Amino acid sequence: MAFISLWVVLVLLLVAIFAPLVAPYPPQTTDYGQQLAPIGSPGHPLGTDTLGRDILSRLVYGFRTAFLVAFVAEVISVVVALSVGVVAGYRGGRADGALMAATDIMYAFPTYLFAVLLVTVFGRNFWSVMAAIAVAGWVTQARLVRAQVMTLKKRDFVEAAQGMGAKGPTIATRYILPNALGPLLVTTSFAVPAAITTEAGLSMLGLGIADMPSWGAMINEGVRFATSSPHMIISPAIAFAVTLLAFTWMGDGVRDAFDITSEGRR
Amino acid sequence: MGYLEFFGRRLARVGFSLVVISALTFTLLQLAPGSFADIQRASSGSTGMAGAAAQEVAGQFATRYGDDVPAWQQYLVFMKGALTWDLGPSYKYPAQSVESIIAQGFPVSATLAVLATLIALAIAIPTGVFAALKQRTAWDTGSMFVLTLGHALPNYLTAVFLVLIFAGAMHVLPAAGWDGPQHLILPVIALAIGPLAVLARYVRSSMLDTLSEEYVTAAIAKGGRPGVVIRKHVLRNSLIPLVTVTGPMLAALMTGTVFIETMFRIPGLGLSFTQAASSRDMPLLMGTTLFFAIILMATNLVVDLVYGLLDPRVRAESGRKLRGSRISRKDVGRPGAGSSEGSRAVVQGLG
């Protein structure tokens, strides 16, 4: 399952990167002669929406939006989580206290609430949506890194390095960091579908990135016509579901690869 | 650490978090470019109100909070209002106060959340128990696979599929609206599926843990009938931890109805929140945000306190580290179930 998912994710990634080559039309092009064309119409294999925009093209560009947001958000979130987590775990004290306080606050503030507030304040643009996802995600990852670092710093090889006279920053980056990366990779591979979900969710509420096509926006526009023109939401919903499942199963595979204890339990 | 001290520390942390969250919300919204009046002017004709009316509303806000006083004084006014349950009029619906909008929306959201929780529990417990008893059979792997599907998809996507099937193809249930019990069915199912998946896995792994305990082996060795052993020894011990998951889950659902309410056009708190965000109805947005945060924190607090009462080890560790390790053992890799962690997982499961 994990390997099939990996291939699905790779194909989707290629589609996202080469969207202009894959999509038959630019995503915003309207065809007023062909509004609400059903699936299988000539020239529009997945039909068109109320404005006559080609659904297949919007779907393909929607992949692009989703991957771009998820990728940038995860890079930022991982970098922040690593730096805060290593400092909090290695130095403890005040940095640790601050991380715990931040955790408390973020736990009382559901991701999407925070995302909605940020987008309300900074506008429906790429950077605010992405910042919203990164801000919401780093806390869990930072806590994980912190826990890893706290166990690693008592290991023999770290103490040996200390005994040899290595300085704090060297130990943290050379000896502890590489060993803390495995579990972080596992949470990150689950965080990517979560980021995609948040992006689509914001668009579903009409609060997504204003000028980029998104599955969430397609569902939001199409759901009112669910009974009369279901083709407007069928293909985005299926594409969305396939993407999320592929990422989830790939994440399961990554986790199983890193964790021997979970074998046989699932 | 004594229970009172534990209690005091948790309470202090909740108080601190609430102050930070309210201050954060208040500051963020001060920064917001594009005032309510501008938004209304831009969209007047369709949904906006007339420019004069919008200006008047903004004027009312200014008299309530003071026009040229520093932001921190306005914040104090806001907090005083929040503490005395007086949040002033909404921008968009000037005839209504924010607290009355919250009071109207909350029962609707609560109904959805309670029904969804009940359904999730009613299905998850037997499913999890069965899967654990029939471990490694087709029933076990099959039900767990289906639950993975439910867990991986956000509730609004599940809702889309439900609408397509039951409203689009079969025409048996309405696609949206809020008018009678038939409008409850699809939203509640869509809400219940995510938590159901989390709960069922939790029950299953909790059952498996208990089944391998020595006292269960002992009970069977003494000649207890399997049915009796399972009912008296296994079920009772493996279902107690559910308390800690269900509380935060209910809170998460109560605040997590945003997508479902928006999609099905259900007049609950979540819809008010979304509408306030898109029309920049700042008083309503601040009010609903604070209310959501209070619900979540209060529930997490209660669960922690109950848990601290039941399990002294949690007190000793001040609640954090121990639960962390418990989770990583139970539900490896995925932020799983267990007090406030659980609510986070469920919230994320909700999208």
Side-chain angles (χ1 to χ4, degrees):
Chain A
M1 214 54 164
F3 270 99
I4 302 172
S5 305
L6 181 65
W7 283 110
V8 173
V9 168
L10 285 180
V11 169
L12 295 179
L13 206 60
L14 286 179
V15 168
I17 293 170
F18 297 106
L21 301 176
V22 180
Y25 305 92
Q28 314 287 15
T29 307
T30 51
D31 182 351
Y32 284 113
Q34 289 232 338
Q35 287 160 4
L36 286 174
I39 292 178
S41 307
H44 300 289
L46 293 181
T48 58
D49 64 9
T50 42
L51 299 174
R53 293 176 297 192
D54 183 56
I55 287 180
L56 175 62
S57 307
R58 292 183 67 71
L59 209 56
V60 168
Y61 277 92
F63 273 114
R64 202 181 202 179
T65 309
F67 277 107
L68 197 62
V69 172
F71 181 75
V72 180
E74 279 321 303
V75 168
I76 295 179
S77 148
V78 164
V79 169
V80 174
L82 271 179
S83 12
V84 177
V86 167
V87 173
Y90 192 73
R91 299 282 293 277
R94 213 174 273 173
D96 202 23
L99 175 63
M100 281 316 182
T103 313
D104 262 1
I105 292 164
M106 293 309 297
Y107 276 14
F109 227 166
T111 312
Y112 59 88
L113 276 192
F114 196 78
V116 167
L117 284 184
L118 271 188
V119 172
T120 312
V121 172
F122 297 107
R124 294 174 51 190
N125 56 57
F126 176 75
W127 290 105
S128 51
V129 170
M130 201 220 46
I133 296 170
V135 167
W138 73 272
V139 177
T140 318
Q141 289 172 324
R143 286 195 50 190
L144 182 88
V145 174
R146 166 184 170 275
Q148 281 291 311
V149 171
M150 280 169 63
T151 45
L152 282 170
K153 76 175 176 189
K154 293 187 188 113
R155 295 278 293 275
D156 289 345
F157 65 92
V158 175
E159 285 180 355
Q162 282 164 342
M164 306 271 279
K167 294 209 168 55
T170 320
I171 294 174
T173 51
R174 290 273 303 274
Y175 297 91
I176 290 182
L177 198 58
N179 288 298
L181 285 180
L184 187 66
L185 186 65
V186 176
T187 46
T188 309
S189 58
F190 284 117
V192 170
I196 294 179
T197 309
T198 311
E199 187 274 325
L202 280 174
S203 312
M204 236 249 6
L205 299 178
L207 295 165
I209 306 168
D211 46 3
M212 282 166 98
S214 158
W215 302 326
M218 294 174 81
I219 290 173
N220 179 29
E221 288 155 16
V223 82
R224 274 174 295 154
F225 307 95
T227 42
S228 54
S229 318
H231 75 273
M232 276 179 71
I233 46 176
I234 287 179
S235 25
I238 292 177
F240 192 7
V242 167
T243 310
L244 289 182
L245 289 176
F247 269 105
T248 307
W249 284 325
M250 194 181 77
D252 281 344
V254 173
R255 180 192 53 197
D256 291 346
F258 274 101
D259 188 52
I260 321 144
T261 53
S262 76
E263 228 169 333
R265 276 298 295 276
R266 293 185 52 82
Chain B
M1 197 188 306
Y3 189 69
L4 263 178
E5 196 190 339
F6 168 72
F7 181 89
R9 282 193 181 199
R10 282 299 282 122
L11 211 61
R13 263 157 80 165
V14 167
F16 173 74
S17 300
L18 268 183
V19 170
V20 173
I21 286 175
S22 56
L24 209 68
T25 315
F26 194 81
T27 336
L28 278 179
L29 297 176
Q30 294 279 315
L31 297 171
S35 69
F36 175 76
D38 294 337
I39 297 280
Q40 291 304 319
R41 209 171 296 128
S43 63
S44 68
S46 54
T47 55
M49 52 170 90
Q55 285 295 351
E56 191 187 320
V57 170
Q60 280 176 5
F61 189 70
T63 40
R64 179 179 167 85
Y65 287 103
D67 211 356
D68 43 5
V69 297
W72 65 268
Q73 282 182 12
Q74 295 189 0
Y75 171 69
L76 288 185
V77 175
F78 169 68
M79 277 316 280
K80 191 171 158 243
L83 290 176
T84 53
W85 193 237
D86 167 28
L87 295 160
S90 143
Y91 277 173
K92 180 105 179 168
Y93 313 100
Q96 278 185 297
S97 65
V98 170
E99 65 269 15
S100 74
I101 295 180
I102 294 179
Q104 278 166 21
F106 181 64
V108 176
S109 303
T111 309
L112 289 176
V114 170
L115 284 177
T117 309
L118 290 180
I119 288 182
L121 280 172
I123 300 178
I125 294 176
T127 312
V129 168
F130 246 72
L133 292 179
K134 312 240 177 251
Q135 203 196 354
R136 287 169 226 259
T137 61
W139 168 265
D140 180 28
T141 39
S143 59
M144 286 303 127
F145 178 79
V146 173
L147 290 178
T148 318
L149 296 186
H151 183 62
L153 306 182
N155 56 20
Y156 56 88
L157 192 54
T158 316
V160 167
F161 286 116
L162 289 174
V163 165
L164 279 173
I165 296 169
F166 293 101
M170 292 166 64
H171 299 285
V172 284
L173 289 168
W178 187 248
D179 184 25
Q182 75 273 21
H183 285 95
L184 270 169
I185 301 174
L186 290 184
V188 167
I189 295 177
L191 274 175
I193 284 181
L196 196 165
V198 176
L199 282 178
R201 286 167 175 223
Y202 191 84
V203 170
R204 175 180 177 270
S205 88
S206 175
M207 279 284 290
L208 287 177
D209 278 355
T210 322
L211 279 171
S212 61
E213 294 282 351
E214 281 173 359
Y215 61 80
V216 175
T217 321
I220 295 173
K222 280 197 308 185
R225 275 178 296 140
V228 178
V229 173
I230 283 166
R231 213 172 46 241
K232 284 206 164 162
H233 298 272
V234 182
L235 270 186
R236 194 171 288 179
N237 282 302
S238 42
L239 294 187
I240 288 174
L242 267 189
V243 177
T244 56
V245 202
T246 311
M249 195 180 83
L250 187 66
L253 274 178
M254 212 130 15
T255 59
T257 52
V258 171
F259 298 100
I260 293 297
E261 284 176 10
T262 309
M263 204 170 129
F264 287 100
R265 313 247 170 265
I266 297 171
L269 262 190
L271 189 62
S272 300
F273 175 76
T274 329
Q275 285 176 343
S278 36
S279 63
R280 290 181 189 283
D281 189 339
M282 296 314 174
L284 185 56
L285 195 56
M286 289 191 292
T288 40
T289 308
L290 201 60
F291 191 74
F292 279 148
I294 289 174
I295 292 183
L296 276 177
M297 299 190 100
T299 325
N300 284 343
L301 180 71
V302 169
V303 170
D304 277 359
L305 296 182
V306 171
Y307 213 67
L309 212 57
L310 296 177
D311 189 345
R313 285 173 302 174
V314 176
R315 266 177 274 162
E317 295 270 340
S318 181
R320 280 285 165 205
K321 286 176 208 155
L322 191 87
R323 279 206 316 264
S325 65
R326 181 186 310 252
I327 287 142
S328 59
R329 187 163 51 84
K330 278 254 163 71
D331 206 349
V332 189
R334 206 182 283 263
S339 205
S340 25
E341 307 269 349
S343 79
R344 189 68 181 175
V346 176
V347 169
Q348 276 169 349
L350 294 166

